[in-house]
Amino acid sequence: MYALVDCNNFFVSCERVFRPQLEGKAVVVLSNNDGCVVARSNESKAMGIKMGTPFYQVKDMVKAGRLIACSSNYTLYGDLSSRVMSILADTVPKIEIYSIDEAFLCMDGIPPDRIREICAGLVKRVRKWVGIPVSIGIAPTKTLAKIASHFAKRYPGYKGVCQIDDDEKRLKALSLTPVREVWGIGRRLAVKMEDCGIRTALDYVGRPPEWVKEHFMLHGMKTWMELNGRVSVEEERPEKRKSICTSRSFAEMIADRAELASRVADFAAKCAAKLREEGSAAQQVTVFLYTNRFRNDLPQYFPTVSIRLPVAANSTQEILSSALKGLDLIYRPEYLYKKAGVMVEDLVDADAVQLPIFDYDLGLRHRRDRISEVMDRLNSSGHNVVRLAAQRTGDYTDVVRSGFRSRRYSTSLDDIIEVK
DNA sequence: TCTGGGGTCCTAGGACCC
DNA sequence: TCTGGGGTCCTAGGACCC
């Protein structure tokens, strides 16, 4: 059996932990730059606010006092997430962290008749110790556990735990689940399935496997098997990422090359730091720019360029200088840019980098690695105490729109003192 | 005026090989 | 007019997830 633990309205719940006056109110959390709605309380869902709604479309409700908006505060969410995860990890033999607000628990070795009771205990403990409400779905496959967790979340009668442990319950649950809500079936596939007359998950599992394979290929087959109770979604992914990306939209559009370069330099430095944190090194650095895709009146340009590194690297200097080289190749002064990003790809283990035999300055490499190490130590507080001259001066908060930010209650000493 | 950020996997098709 | 058959590898783009 798998148990999927899903934090309810996670970002909103995090805000509520430290501002209990938000309890029972319509609350939304906004994306970077206060761009769009990325989390909603039950009350704001009931008001019809959809995921991804641009903030300006609900601004009037905020002004009228009917809706409370919070800028996103990922430091806070990340910290509360790790507290939730550590409680889960302490309770069951194995957990697979799936996202910031979800984890699969592997219930191997736990007597079947105790699973529900253990999960009910977890719901209470996480609520009491961290303050976050969670829902848990229990089932023989991950896809079914997801469905069970939806029921646990939707119907208060379950008290946060729903288990699918026999065929009767499974078929009942599938018949009540629209196919577009199934894990692994997105918008495009859902439309295609509905065109074939498939409305519920039960309709889908009723189709013969040959037909499913023909129309929805490998991916569709896996989902089909999972819904039929046969495990097909692999075990956890390897712990190291295959690519790392840092990108941001800008509060204002940018045309100036120097300004753009300093932003790209920041993104590159961030990628390099993430690489080192993970013990990886990159063989390729990609830079991309976006003009404002919502401005039909402006010329559009979405260039991207990749630079191969002769030797895999993770020093800030090397990643940054490649990124700026890339920027030079794609930058055109006649456009207004709204977003940029740096991606590092083809990652290898940092301690297994293949060095060339000839014409290679190993001393230079070591010096760069040393500098990066020192930078990491000095920057470990999360503030950019030291940076390369190509990077921006000043804090990131200077350039991001964030009108409703809560404090970093659980991680920043200043903010903790403020609360007291 | 104002529209997020970060990942993974799969497939089709092209390049290339014999 | 008529132009083989079979592989592998790589990449871009599309689909999905949160």
Side-chain angles (χ1 to χ4, degrees):
Chain A
M1 284 280 174
Y2 288 102
L4 174 72
V5 183
D6 195 339
C7 299
N8 301 344
N9 315 329
F10 182 56
F11 296 170
V12 169
S13 297
C14 290
E15 297 291 340
R16 281 175 168 170
V17 169
F18 291 93
R19 297 159 70 192
Q21 65 273 26
L22 299 183
E23 212 65 56
K25 303 260 173 64
V27 180
V28 292
V29 173
L30 305 173
S31 62
N32 245 330
N33 274 317
D34 292 345
C36 35
V37 171
V38 293
R40 305 157 295 156
S41 68
N42 290 345
E43 297 78 10
S44 50
K45 284 178 189 169
M47 285 164 65
I49 296 171
K50 299 268 179 292
M51 188 74 169
T53 305
F55 177 49
Y56 68 86
Q57 291 178 5
V58 298
K59 216 173 201 170
D60 287 343
M61 297 186 202
V62 176
K63 281 188 184 148
R66 293 165 50 216
L67 179 67
I68 297 164
C70 305
S71 301
S72 44
N73 183 345
Y74 288 101
T75 313
L76 177 68
Y77 311 151
D79 183 57
L80 292 188
S81 172
S82 62
R83 292 173 193 231
V84 171
M85 298 306 174
S86 68
I87 292 175
L88 305 180
D90 283 346
T91 308
V92 297
K94 197 176 132 200
I95 96 167
E96 241 176 75
I97 296 174
Y98 179 67
S99 71
I100 193 165
D101 71 332
E102 279 177 58
F104 287 102
L105 313 183
C106 178
M107 305 308 255
D108 286 356
I110 295 176
D113 53 324
R114 289 214 52 222
I115 292 178
R116 174 186 290 275
E117 164 199 339
I118 287 171
C119 289
L122 275 175
V123 170
K124 284 191 195 131
R125 201 143 63 242
V126 172
R127 182 68 201 236
K128 189 169 177 188
W129 291 0
V130 193
I132 299 290
V134 302
S135 304
I136 305 185
I138 309 161
T141 69
K142 290 180 178 177
T143 308
L144 288 169
K146 277 270 196 184
I147 288 178
S149 81
H150 293 159
F151 284 93
K153 189 175 290 193
R154 200 165 313 157
Y155 302 104
Y158 284 112
K159 292 197 163 72
V161 182
C162 173
Q163 185 166 17
I164 297 176
D165 54 1
D166 64 38
D167 243 17
E168 192 189 335
K169 288 181 198 164
R170 182 176 69 87
L171 297 174
K172 180 82 190 295
L174 294 184
S175 74
L176 292 171
T177 302
V179 77
R180 60 174 62 240
E181 284 175 20
V182 173
W183 189 43
I185 298 175
R187 263 199 12 246
R188 303 300 285 264
L189 282 180
V191 168
K192 194 172 160 192
M193 287 180 182
E194 282 154 10
D195 287 347
C196 296
I198 297 168
R199 284 180 32 259
T200 67
L202 188 65
D203 295 338
Y204 189 55
V205 299
R207 298 293 168 114
E210 303 76 31
W211 183 89
V212 170
K213 203 175 283 175
E214 187 193 332
H215 290 86
F216 300 102
M217 294 175 282
L218 182 59
H219 187 76
M221 252 336 267
K222 281 185 178 172
T223 301
W224 186 88
M225 302 235 285
E226 286 258 319
L227 291 173
N228 275 311
R230 284 162 50 202
V231 173
S232 312
V233 174
E234 300 75 21
E235 293 306 300
E236 64 195 294
R237 318 188 179 115
E239 66 288 357
K240 285 199 178 187
R241 287 174 284 186
K242 296 179 174 176
S243 67
I244 291 173
C245 178
T246 305
S247 75
R248 290 287 179 278
S249 295
F250 310 132
E252 273 93 39
M253 291 186 281
I254 297 174
D256 181 58
R257 179 192 209 116
E259 179 62 31
L260 208 50
S262 70
R263 308 293 184 103
V264 167
D266 268 352
F267 301 152
K270 184 78 185 165
C271 281
K274 289 179 186 172
L275 277 173
R276 296 191 293 269
E277 196 184 330
E278 202 153 291
S280 296
Q283 304 185 94
Q284 180 165 295
V285 178
T286 296
V287 184
F288 58 88
L289 299 173
Y290 287 178
T291 49
N292 189 338
R293 64 197 167 101
F294 297 104
R295 291 288 297 270
N296 296 325
D297 55 323
L298 296 176
Q300 298 290 320
Y301 180 47
F302 306 108
T304 166
V305 65
S306 297
I307 309 278
R308 291 299 299 184
L309 301 182
V311 182
N314 63 18
S315 71
T316 299
Q317 287 108 309
E318 280 168 285
I319 302 297
L320 195 151
S321 70
S322 297
L324 290 181
K325 255 181 240 160
L327 177 66
D328 269 344
L329 292 172
I330 54 177
Y331 172 80
R332 299 274 177 281
E334 61 269 34
Y335 294 100
L336 293 170
Y337 300 96
K338 180 63 179 170
K339 178 175 176 170
V342 173
M343 218 181 317
V344 286
E345 298 160 297
D346 280 2
L347 307 189
V348 296
D349 267 344
D351 50 14
V353 170
Q354 180 65 56
L355 298 174
I357 304 174
F358 306 112
D359 294 332
Y360 186 67
D361 189 342
L362 199 57
L364 176 62
R365 183 180 183 89
H366 284 154
R367 284 198 298 282
R368 286 173 166 168
D369 287 346
R370 274 294 290 153
I371 291 171
S372 293
E373 264 178 61
V374 172
M375 287 177 72
D376 288 341
R377 261 208 315 280
L378 293 170
N379 291 338
S380 64
S381 66
H383 304 286
N384 268 347
V385 179
V386 276
R387 57 196 132 208
L388 298 193
Q391 292 180 247
R392 290 185 52 257
T393 54
D395 206 297
Y396 177 60
T397 50
D398 297 349
V399 289
V400 71
R401 197 182 306 121
S402 179
F404 319 91
R405 169 115 68 185
S406 51
R407 302 189 157 270
R408 278 127 191 174
Y409 300 103
S410 62
T411 51
S412 157
L413 197 54
D414 291 347
D415 290 346
I416 291 167
I417 291 165
E418 181 84 15
V419 170
K420 281 184 178 167

